[in-house]
């Protein structure tokens, strides 16, 4: 982690447990932190750390406060709802070209986040990725819980990884469900949870049945993805929905997918009998 | 239509209006027909034609009756639910290898249909595609209703066609929704209707918004697809769901996608202000 040690890192915290995990990981590593909690999104837990609350639609306030604290490195963590078109106009002044804003507003979520990163960079902040700031939160190689995938699943895992790599150029797909060499679902903007519910529905509606060919979830980042933006993640809820969808496990690209609430995730996986494993992308 | 004229064509009729449209198209062309209605699926309308009812799980009865009538050419039309694993065992005797049946049962719907086609072919029937038996039911080139797509949508249409062609090798995707150069959804075993409902949900959940970049549905068959199997189709319900999902039109690969209930489809498109257009796949 060159350049992080000793220097305070600002965490811009959206919803979920993940910002707190980043905070905890950095603290364990001896790095001082300061959290900017986005109002309406950040969890109460951030109050255990040096913090302030701010409105996501008021980047002046966020940038100003960080500058005054002498913070030069930040990391974006946690979810926010996509702001509506009117709300986005309030941050319009940060973008030099109306055309640029239009592209961001109408583009994928990645484009919005890339726009936000650019905004910070233009204000001379350096924006870190999870892989730089808290690499211990990323999936290691090999089985992570008690169970491991049968060797025969390698074909399905590779098919899933191949599909995700192929779809990458369409800026869609960080997740895919495969059963018996058949692709059942490709994740779009609806997200992993909704995709898993779709797979559960397919079985209810008899669109598919996989008593025997067992279904698995495969996750990996898009090829060439800016690793400071929206790295794929799995957590306890992913595991629960995977179980409900009849899946037998989850394979994630190693060093590429965030394990959110790892302890709860693995306890749940062990309890439900699902494997969670880190795999190498060839 | 080489070899069809004069000879009676058997229509194996599942659910929906499509078997009746095939019947009507063949009758218009002067080709005698005989319909085998699958019990629990075929619509009552088949009774207007020479017909019999049969159980889809009793291929002996179906093949025997067609043979006795001297029918050598058949076409499969309309939907059936995927039979459960136990039900499939009852047609096991038609397959020589248990392994072969397993592949069919666990594979995509295409594989099931290909298995059924093989079954008919091994009994010396010739199985026709819609393109041979009723080409007038396929989408022509250019706008089909009153509205036509803005020239600026060519980029999105080509992106959609490119995505479908790319996904073809994964045996998934006959449909895709695109808005402003962004892929919103790729169709899997859930089907077009469920995919359109998903896009409607994405907007409700603020996952995407496309006030300005307008969304369209693009449909095409998979590259190398057996054209006797499950050609993509759109009909009035597709149009209605597209409208509900906020789409502004539907582009289909010409001579490649079936227009089900064309008159109702186009009346509805004209009424709702959506375009339906046939496009060339490069």
């Amino acid at each position: 982690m060159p350049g992080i040690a000793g220097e305070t890192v600002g965490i811009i915290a959206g919803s979920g447990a993940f910002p707190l995990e980043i905070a905890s990981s950095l603290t364990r590593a001896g790095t001082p932190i300061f959290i900017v909690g986005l109002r309406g999104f950040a969890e109460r837990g951030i109050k255990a750390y040096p913090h302030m609350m701010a409105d996501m639609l008021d980047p002046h306030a966020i940038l100003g406060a960080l500058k005054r604290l002498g913070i030069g490195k930040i990391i974006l963590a946690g979810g926010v709802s996509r702001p509506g078109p009117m709300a986005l106009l309030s941050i319009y002044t940060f973008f030099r070209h109306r055309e640029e804003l239009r592209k961001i507003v109408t583009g994928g979520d990645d484009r919005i986040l890339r726009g936000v990163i650019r905004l910070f960079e233009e204000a001379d902040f350096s924006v870190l990725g999870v892989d730089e700031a808290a690499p211990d939160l990323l999936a290691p190689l090999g089985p992570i819980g008690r169970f491991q995938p049968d060797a025969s699943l390698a074909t399905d895992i590779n098919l899933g990884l191949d599909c995700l790599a192929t779809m990458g150029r369409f800026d869609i797909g960080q997740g895919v469900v495969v059963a018996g060499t058949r692709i059942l679902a490709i994740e779009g903007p609806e997200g992993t949870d909704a995709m898993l519910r779709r797979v559960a529905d397919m079985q209810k509606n008899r669109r598919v049945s996989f008593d025997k060919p067992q279904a698995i979830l495969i996750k990996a980042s898009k090829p060439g993805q800016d690793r400071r933006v929206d790295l794929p993640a799995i957590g306890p809820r992913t595991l629960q929905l995977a179980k409900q969808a009849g899946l037998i496990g989850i394979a994630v690209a190693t060093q590429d997918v965030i394990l959110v609430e790892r302890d709860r995730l693995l306890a749940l996986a062990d309890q439900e009998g699902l494997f969670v494993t880190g795999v190498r992308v060839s």
Side-chain angles (χ1 to χ4, degrees), chain A:
Chain A
M1 283 170 271
I4 291 188
E7 221 180 302
T8 302
V9 170
I11 301 173
I12 314 291
S15 62
F18 190 59
L20 292 169
E21 297 196 72
I22 296 269
S24 164
S25 169
L26 281 165
T27 302
R28 276 197 306 275
T31 306
I33 59 161
F34 181 82
I35 303 182
V36 178
L38 298 178
R39 209 166 274 131
F41 297 105
E43 303 217 339
R44 295 175 57 85
I46 67 165
K47 298 193 173 166
Y49 298 92
H51 75 283
M52 65 175 273
M53 297 302 289
D55 191 325
M56 70 175 286
L57 297 174
D58 188 3
H60 290 277
I62 297 172
L63 295 170
L66 291 170
K67 287 274 181 211
R68 280 191 298 278
L69 287 162
I71 291 172
K73 293 185 192 305
I74 60 153
I75 180 164
L76 306 171
V80 294
S81 302
R82 188 194 178 92
M86 290 312 291
L88 274 167
L89 284 177
S90 74
I91 51 171
Y92 168 64
T93 50
F94 275 85
F95 294 95
R96 288 150 308 181
H97 306 297
R98 185 173 290 270
E99 182 56 22
E100 188 177 346
L101 180 68
R102 202 189 62 77
K103 269 193 203 138
I104 289 168
V105 174
T106 63
D109 288 332
D110 279 14
R111 282 188 240 181
I112 293 186
L113 277 164
R114 281 194 289 262
V116 170
I117 286 178
R118 185 130 42 103
L119 187 158
F120 278 105
E121 287 178 337
E122 284 173 10
D124 290 325
F125 287 91
S126 143
V127 181
L128 307 173
V130 177
D131 50 339
E132 296 168 281
D136 57 321
L137 302 181
L138 295 173
L141 185 65
I144 301 162
R146 183 152 63 94
F147 297 95
Q148 49 180 302
D150 191 275
S152 67
L153 289 174
T155 309
D156 281 353
I157 291 172
N158 288 328
L159 177 68
L161 292 171
D162 181 12
C163 180
L164 292 175
T166 306
M167 291 313 296
R169 75 180 173 92
F170 295 104
D171 202 13
I172 191 174
Q174 290 190 327
V176 67
V177 176
V178 178
T181 73
R182 183 180 186 198
I183 306 241
L184 297 186
I186 297 171
E187 182 180 333
E190 75 280 7
T192 307
D193 293 359
M195 176 179 64
L196 290 172
R197 289 195 192 95
R198 179 156 93 241
V199 172
D201 284 344
M202 279 180 205
Q203 289 169 90
K204 275 185 217 141
N205 305 338
R206 300 278 299 280
R207 287 266 176 182
V208 299
S209 71
F210 34 90
D211 308 322
K212 195 62 190 68
Q214 294 174 301
I216 53 176
L217 168 66
I218 297 135
K219 295 208 56 139
S221 68
K222 297 168 200 161
Q225 180 168 340
D226 183 337
R227 296 175 70 79
R228 299 167 305 175
V229 172
D230 193 32
L231 269 194
I234 62 168
R237 193 174 47 178
T238 320
L239 198 289
Q240 248 151 357
L241 289 168
K243 172 73 182 178
Q244 283 162 27
L247 272 55
I248 58 160
I250 303 176
V252 297
T254 180
Q255 296 306 321
D256 191 45
V257 174
I258 297 162
L259 303 182
V260 179
E261 296 186 74
R262 183 189 295 229
D263 294 344
R264 273 188 61 211
L265 168 66
L266 295 186
L268 201 57
D270 288 352
Q271 177 192 316
E272 299 288 6
L274 274 73
F275 67 80
V276 175
T277 193
V279 294
R280 217 186 292 273
V281 178
S282 58

